Amino acid sequence: MNGAHREWQYAVVDLATNSTTISLVPCIIKGWYVNTAMSAHECLITDDTTTVIRIPASTPAGDTTDYAGLRFETSLIVNPDDAATGELLVLYDELERS
C-alpha cells in the first residue's frame, strides 16, 4: 500500500450465535483477536463456503493473528462449531459496497 494509512473496521462476534456474516462484499482482513476465551470448539472464517482461516478450539483470550492484508473475494463469515462460546474481534476493510 506504499505506506498509505488504512483505517480498519471491526466486528465483535459472539461465537454462541453460530454463523455470523460480517460482510457480503469483497474485503481485506487485517487480523483477529480473541476477546473472551473460546470453548472446546473450533471456529472457521470463510469466504462464502471456502474455509480460509481455522482458529483452534480452546484458543485463549488475548490470542491474536495479524495479516498484512488477506483478501476475501465474496464475503466474510465467522462460522464456529455448534455450541461454541467465546468472543472474537475481526479487523477488516470492505473493498466495495453495492
Side-chain angles (χ1 to χ4, degrees), residues 34 47 53 56 58 60 90:
V34 178
D47 185 352
I53 301 167
S58 303
V90 178

Side-chain angles (χ1 to χ4, degrees), residues 30-35 59-67 88-89 91:
K30 170 69 173 144
W32 54 263
Y33 176 85
V34 178
N35 284 342
T59 300
D63 199 21
T64 187
T65 296
D66 186 34
Y67 304 103
L88 187 69
L89 174 126
L91 293 171

Side-chain angles (χ1 to χ4, degrees), residues 24-53:
L24 288 172
V25 298
C27 58
I28 294 176
I29 288 185
K30 170 69 173 144
W32 54 263
Y33 176 85
V34 178
N35 284 342
T36 306
M38 293 172 51
S39 58
H41 302 85
E42 80 175 347
C43 179
L44 307 178
I45 300 179
T46 64
D47 185 352
D48 193 22
T49 59
T50 302
T51 298
V52 179
I53 301 167

Side-chain angles (χ1 to χ4, degrees), residues 1 18-19 24 73 75 91 96:
M1 289 188 0
N18 294 324
S19 184
L24 288 172
E73 294 297 331
S75 60
L91 293 171
E96 61 181 64

